[in-house]
Amino acid sequence: MGNRATFVSVGPDGYEHRSSSFGAVGLDLDLLGGPEALLPFVRATG
């Protein structure tokens, strides 16, 4: 099993697709902070 995650966010400019090799590690805890905490993390994944 891997820790890969794919993130898709929807905004006024359309969809953003991001992938991370280790994004699934602790994802449940990252989601607890809400979108304000999660979106900067997702955008930094590249």
Side-chain angles (χ1 to χ4, degrees):
M1 295 180 79
N3 294 313
R4 291 181 292 275
T6 300
F7 303 100
V8 178
S9 61
V10 180
D13 298 327
Y15 295 97
E16 282 186 65
H17 175 265
R18 309 271 180 158
S19 296
S20 173
S21 296
F22 300 100
V25 176
L27 181 61
D28 55 341
L29 299 176
D30 294 332
L31 291 171
L32 288 176
E36 297 83 19
L38 183 64
L39 287 175
F41 166 74
V42 170
R43 290 185 178 124
T45 62

